[in-house]
Amino acid sequence: MRIRHALLSSVAISLILAVPAFAQQPRSAAADRQLNKQDKSFVKDAAEGGLAEVELGKLAQQNAQDAQVKQFGARMVQDHGSANAELTALASGKGMALRQQIDAKHAQLRDRLARLRGAEFDRAYMREMVKDHDGDMKAFRRAAQAGSDPDIKSFAQKTLAVVEQHDKLAHDTSNSLTATGSSHRAR
């Protein structure tokens, strides 16, 4: 009995002495994967933009008249769908949950575009895509160069090449609508 009591006392004393040592340990793995404010903002904005690109791309496939605009919409669904899946997994691993539906600002744009058809839709959609991808390129460049988290920085660098392709394609498609005269309003 004495041996047992002495053993339990030794274990209790060891535990009491070990607590301060645990408190001085470096941050946990979960804490290490947390993102700073700038990286969180980039991830949130990229995810919201990506969700909108997919939804608007589906709308383009339905409402567009021009074959190039329909193809552009299909590419947005495919490329942004893949990027969204990768970003969602990356954010989840960093302890950050992302929305699964578009935000109010993008929902308003979707609803406005959903009322348009044919050449009118083509012009409005491509105008938005040019503006959106011009902004996306800047945001992805900034995150690729100045991001703090190496995984987020790598995602931004890799995805930047695709966003640059989208931006060029958006400008080219928009310009082709003007060149063919379909960007002029019907009288």
Side-chain angles (χ1 to χ4, degrees), residues 5-64:
H5 185 36
L7 184 60
L8 287 174
S9 295
S10 296
V11 169
I13 290 171
S14 297
L15 287 174
I16 290 171
L17 293 175
V19 169
F22 283 121
Q24 294 175 4
Q25 290 294 320
R27 294 170 13 158
S28 69
D32 284 339
R33 62 183 188 183
Q34 294 297 312
L35 301 175
N36 70 18
K37 186 177 180 179
Q38 180 183 348
D39 287 343
K40 279 183 182 178
S41 178
F42 168 74
V43 169
K44 178 184 163 286
D45 292 346
E48 287 176 356
L51 286 172
E53 294 289 351
V54 169
E55 193 142 334
L56 295 175
K58 290 176 183 176
L59 189 61
Q61 291 174 302
Q62 296 168 8
N63 291 8

Side-chain angles (χ1 to χ4, degrees), residues 42 134-147 156 160 164:
F42 168 74
D134 285 350
D136 288 349
M137 261 191 353
K138 291 175 187 171
F140 274 81
R141 273 194 191 120
R142 193 170 34 255
Q145 293 170 355
L160 176 60
E164 287 171 337

